[in-house]
Amino acid sequence: MNSYREVTTKIEKMRELGIEPDNSVMEALREIRTPHYKVAFIGKFQVGKSHIINKVFLDDESLLAEGVGLCKTAVTVEINHGDNTQFSYCNGEQIEVVTNPAGEVIAKATAATDDNERVKLFNNIDNAVLAYPNELLQNVSVYDTPGIDDPNEELLRETTYKLLPAMDMAVMVVAPKALSQAELRFLQKKVFSCGISNFMIVVSCKPLDNCDEDDEELLRNQIQNQLRSIGRSDIPVYFYCEDEDGKPLAALSETIIENAKRFTLNNRCNKLHKAMAAQVSAEIAKL
């Protein structure tokens, strides 16, 4: 059962049997009818997570703090669609809302270079949300997360690790080289073990990296061989490149959204199938 047509056929068969779908079945059906996808960007510090989100989803506005000057994200930022650009967050018991914020305002609440300041932000700031008027965000929420090589394990447990099980898909951004042992361990122990199976890798290349098509193919094969060595041969590897003026050379946003749709439909159909099976079993038990 992997299409909306098949789903509705199953629902009608339930009704033919005299079983009206319950709330759990209808909720699962609504998730298929009006999908909204949650996509987390993960990776080591300064590989380009925030940079790609700025370029691809925020129309090249530098709203998220990037890794220049050792800037380190300490607070997960959720990016949603909105009629206007607006940043909101909870600071203790007080909710702060800033309309048309500058990047410095968002950075002050979510990122810092000093480790003590990062811990302070982590302890004080919650629910950081950036609304932005980009149609690409109509059906998707994007999450910018702290680096997976953060030495503060508690911070990672309460941000990146805690977020992953609730995601429809994760995008791991990596530098244009083979995956490090730290990245492979993170995939094995934190990503694949938490139940998220929908996953893609994006290799972030800047103009100075001089990656041509042959280089990309060689690196893609190398990364996929590494992934096979930890038991995954189904993870696609894409490349994000910019020209000399810093403009993206590929429509990565469409690729991400299409993968989220494709990856997630089957899972949501399976969720509906389980809800229907549970209800039918309960009805049979009453007989």
Side-chain angles (χ1 to χ4, degrees):
M1 185 169 63
N2 56 10
S3 73
Y4 184 70
R5 179 177 297 177
E6 290 173 304
V7 164
T8 53
T9 299
K10 295 280 187 180
I11 294 286
E12 290 307 314
K13 286 184 177 179
M14 281 184 67
R15 288 184 168 133
E16 289 173 6
L17 294 171
I19 303 174
E20 187 62 26
D22 63 16
N23 289 338
S24 62
V25 172
M26 295 310 296
E27 177 60 29
L29 181 61
R30 279 191 290 272
E31 289 184 6
I32 297 171
R33 279 178 173 166
T34 55
H36 188 92
Y37 308 104
K38 296 180 179 180
V39 179
F41 275 69
I42 59 177
K44 297 171 68 175
F45 284 128
Q46 301 181 60
V47 292
K49 301 186 299 296
S50 302
H51 177 76
I52 289 176
I53 295 173
N54 279 333
K55 289 282 187 179
V56 172
F57 291 101
L58 301 177
D59 297 332
D60 201 15
E61 293 193 51
S62 297
L63 293 177
L64 300 178
E66 299 184 12
V68 178
L70 298 179
C71 192
K72 297 180 179 180
T73 301
V75 176
T76 298
V77 182
E78 177 183 344
I79 301 102
N80 295 320
H81 180 268
D83 294 332
N84 301 293
T85 304
Q86 181 175 281
F87 179 61
S88 62
Y89 61 96
C90 182
N91 186 1
E93 296 182 355
Q94 184 174 351
I95 297 177
E96 305 283 351
V97 180
V98 183
T99 300
N100 295 322
E104 292 80 4
V105 172
I106 298 175
K108 188 175 180 180
T110 62
T113 57
D114 180 77
D115 285 339
N116 291 331
E117 183 63 26
R118 293 180 63 255
V119 172
K120 182 178 177 181
L121 289 175
F122 161 65
N123 288 328
N124 294 339
I125 304 296
D126 293 307
N127 301 319
V129 178
L130 174 63
Y132 189 82
N134 186 336
E135 293 303 310
L136 291 171
L137 294 166
Q138 285 279 15
N139 296 313
V140 63
S141 294
V142 175
Y143 296 78
D144 188 27
T145 65
I148 63 172
D149 49 343
D150 196 311
N152 189 321
E153 189 70 18
E154 181 187 2
L155 187 152
L156 282 177
R157 280 199 305 270
E158 294 300 316
T159 54
T160 305
Y161 299 168
K162 189 174 183 178
L163 183 75
L164 283 172
M167 294 294 100
D168 293 308
M169 186 176 77
V171 178
M172 186 171 186
V173 181
V174 300
K177 56 186 178 181
L179 300 179
S180 67
Q181 287 302 309
E183 288 168 326
L184 289 170
R185 283 195 302 272
F186 172 77
L187 290 176
Q188 280 185 301
K189 296 183 179 181
K190 302 301 180 182
V191 179
F192 303 150
S193 64
C194 79
I196 183 169
S197 58
N198 308 325
F199 191 75
M200 60 184 280
I201 285 179
V202 172
V203 181
S204 180
C205 300
K206 297 180 175 62
L208 292 178
D209 293 322
N210 295 319
C211 289
D212 58 26
E213 290 185 3
D214 291 338
D215 293 328
E216 289 184 9
E217 189 60 27
L218 184 64
L219 182 54
R220 178 182 286 108
N221 290 335
Q222 187 175 11
I223 291 174
Q224 289 177 331
N225 284 335
Q226 288 181 293
L227 294 171
R228 277 191 285 271
S229 74
I230 59 173
R232 293 296 296 268
S233 59
D234 59 331
I235 297 174
V237 178
Y238 298 91
F239 283 76
Y240 170 83
C241 303
E242 298 176 1
D243 62 20
E244 292 182 356
D245 295 322
K247 300 299 182 183
L249 296 178
L252 182 62
S253 58
E254 295 177 7
T255 301
I256 291 170
I257 293 170
E258 285 305 311
N259 274 333
K261 290 179 180 178
R262 177 170 57 87
F263 287 156
T264 307
L265 176 60
N266 189 55
N267 284 350
R268 294 188 178 181
C269 287
N270 286 339
K271 177 181 177 180
L272 177 62
H273 184 263
K274 290 178 181 178
M276 293 167 61
Q279 186 182 359
V280 170
S281 295
E283 293 294 331
I284 292 174
K286 294 177 183 179
L287 299 178

